[in-house]
Amino acid sequence: MSRLWGALAEALSLTCISVGAAYAMRLYPEHSAAVVGALITIHGAVFYSLVTRFSPGRAKRRRAKARWNRHQWKWALILVVPSTFQGQVQQAALERVDVGTLMTVMTLGALGLATWRLVSSPHGSNRRLHALWFVIGLVGVAMLTRPFTGGIGSWGLVLAGVAAVMGVNATIVSAKLAEMGALPRVVEMNCWSGACLVGVPILVWTDEHWLTWSVLSTVAVTSLLNMTANKLHVRACELVRSDDGVISTVKCVNPVLACLVGVVVGTGGSPGLLGWIGAVLVVGVSLAAFRAFHRLGLHAGPQTVKGAPWKELLSETDLNGGAWSGIPPVGIRLLSVWKPEDRGQWKHKVA
């Protein structure tokens, strides 16, 4: 059930991003996309930090920060460095290809990751048949977004491919960081790196007059939506137990969500009959892939017992090193001592 809630949280996160992008379009063409993006990045970093600082569990997060090691810092840099400049790469790609082409290539990366996780799974039979989801999903996305209709440039395709690789990298690394319990802090680092390395220099060098109530109020609403999207994304990674296959499966629905938001708010026209058929194909493929992930049980997290002070459930053949806190592991096997209904009280009696 947690996988389903995680998928819904990720879908809601993508919807918030689409609504924010649609709302920010009211500033165009009076202001450039670079300036608007810089303002949204800076505001989003401030809002995310404020919400994180005043949300419950602050003491627990402080202890988690103190336990960081070199391994966690390595994965944090792998996520932060490419993600900081992903928006600029996408913007450069949009100057050479249409938005449908960019969205198709970006979705191709997420769809490829989800298919690869299914095909390479050690569980289940007929694993290679899951490659059909990749083909059907690609056809659906192409019917919905209609790529190559607004012209095409080789450099634009290269930049779109680089942005897609960055997106896949972020999905994989986010799952690993969520497993380590470091994803919330890394997301905050990512917000501030983009704000300081990209947002501030753009605002300093620009000649646009952006210090107006209309601009700041619009940017504030968009930034709040993006901050909510980041929170939902972190929660989604935790609920799916760091399964990047499920997250990438939901990301395949991003073109459909963006299309629906555009139709509702009036920023995009109707996709037409072929477009709606493509949307149905994409949603159907995503549901089928999600069901396959749920059936195979990929990256299943450890079982927990409500009320127990430890996280992992011992089997009858495990040593007591995983359940005893503060006591070195020994070779004594606990076959019939532990009972779930004791709620951990037996540890104090035995110790």
Side-chain angles (χ1 to χ4, degrees):
M1 192 65 180
S2 61
R3 289 172 179 263
L4 178 59
W5 286 114
L8 293 176
E10 182 66 19
L12 186 57
S13 172
L14 297 174
T15 304
C16 290
I17 294 176
S18 298
V19 173
Y23 189 75
M25 290 182 64
R26 61 186 296 190
L27 299 177
Y28 307 136
E30 288 81 7
H31 300 277
S32 64
V35 171
V36 175
L39 289 170
I40 293 174
T41 301
I42 296 174
H43 281 74
V46 174
F47 292 158
Y48 190 90
S49 296
L50 290 177
V51 171
T52 302
R53 292 296 181 275
F54 294 102
S55 59
R58 183 179 178 185
K60 182 178 179 180
R61 285 192 300 274
R62 284 181 175 177
R63 291 194 299 269
K65 290 182 180 180
R67 291 194 295 268
W68 268 44
N69 53 38
R70 183 179 300 177
H71 187 64
Q72 291 170 313
W73 279 109
K74 180 190 71 174
W75 286 109
L77 292 177
I78 293 176
L79 174 64
V80 170
V81 173
S83 299
T84 300
F85 304 98
Q86 182 178 355
Q88 285 64 43
V89 174
Q90 293 181 7
Q91 187 62 36
L94 285 174
E95 295 176 356
R96 297 167 175 83
V97 297
D98 57 281
V99 63
T101 302
L102 175 64
M103 189 166 291
T104 301
V105 176
M106 293 291 294
T107 308
L108 182 64
L111 187 60
L113 176 59
T115 306
W116 173 253
R117 292 304 190 199
L118 287 173
V119 172
S120 61
S121 169
H123 308 286
S125 59
N126 299 325
R127 293 174 297 168
R128 295 185 178 181
L129 291 178
H130 293 302
L132 291 175
W133 305 131
F134 179 85
V135 178
I136 299 174
L138 180 59
V139 172
V141 173
M143 293 174 64
L144 177 62
T145 59
R146 289 171 291 181
F148 314 135
T149 57
I152 181 175
S154 57
W155 277 111
L157 283 178
V158 171
L159 291 173
V162 172
V165 172
M166 290 180 175
V168 172
N169 172 78
T171 303
I172 297 175
V173 180
S174 295
K176 292 184 177 295
L177 290 170
E179 187 176 358
M180 300 175 187
L183 184 58
R185 183 183 178 188
V186 176
V187 171
E188 184 178 4
M189 290 173 54
N190 189 33
C191 292
W192 279 111
S193 64
C196 297
L197 299 178
V198 178
V200 173
I202 290 177
L203 295 183
V204 170
W205 294 335
T206 186
D207 296 330
E208 297 184 24
H209 182 61
W210 51 265
L211 196 59
T212 63
W213 169 251
S214 176
V215 173
L216 295 179
S217 60
T218 302
V219 167
V221 173
T222 304
S223 301
L224 286 173
L225 288 170
N226 289 345
M227 180 269 297
T228 304
N230 286 331
K231 288 290 185 180
L232 289 170
H233 174 69
V234 172
R235 184 55 180 163
C237 291
E238 295 173 349
L239 287 173
V240 301
R241 301 187 179 99
S242 308
D243 190 347
D244 54 17
V246 174
I247 296 297
S248 58
T249 299
V250 180
K251 287 183 180 296
C252 298
V253 194
N254 191 24
V256 180
L257 297 175
C259 178
L260 293 176
V261 170
V263 171
V264 171
V265 302
T267 58
S270 176
L273 179 60
L274 289 178
W276 289 121
I277 295 175
V280 172
L281 288 177
V282 173
V283 174
V285 166
S286 300
L287 291 176
F290 176 81
R291 182 181 178 184
F293 275 110
H294 183 71
R295 184 173 62 253
L296 295 175
L298 303 182
H299 303 288
Q303 294 179 331
T304 57
V305 178
K306 185 176 180 181
W310 61 90
K311 294 184 178 180
E312 295 189 1
L313 182 64
L314 280 179
S315 64
E316 293 186 353
T317 58
D318 285 338
L319 302 182
N320 65 348
W324 291 69
S325 58
I327 302 178
V330 295
I332 303 176
R333 300 184 182 273
L334 304 175
L335 299 179
S336 59
V337 178
W338 181 83
K339 298 180 180 179
E341 61 270 15
D342 290 339
R343 295 184 178 273
Q345 299 299 325
W346 66 275
K347 294 172 58 179
H348 303 287
K349 296 178 180 180
V350 176

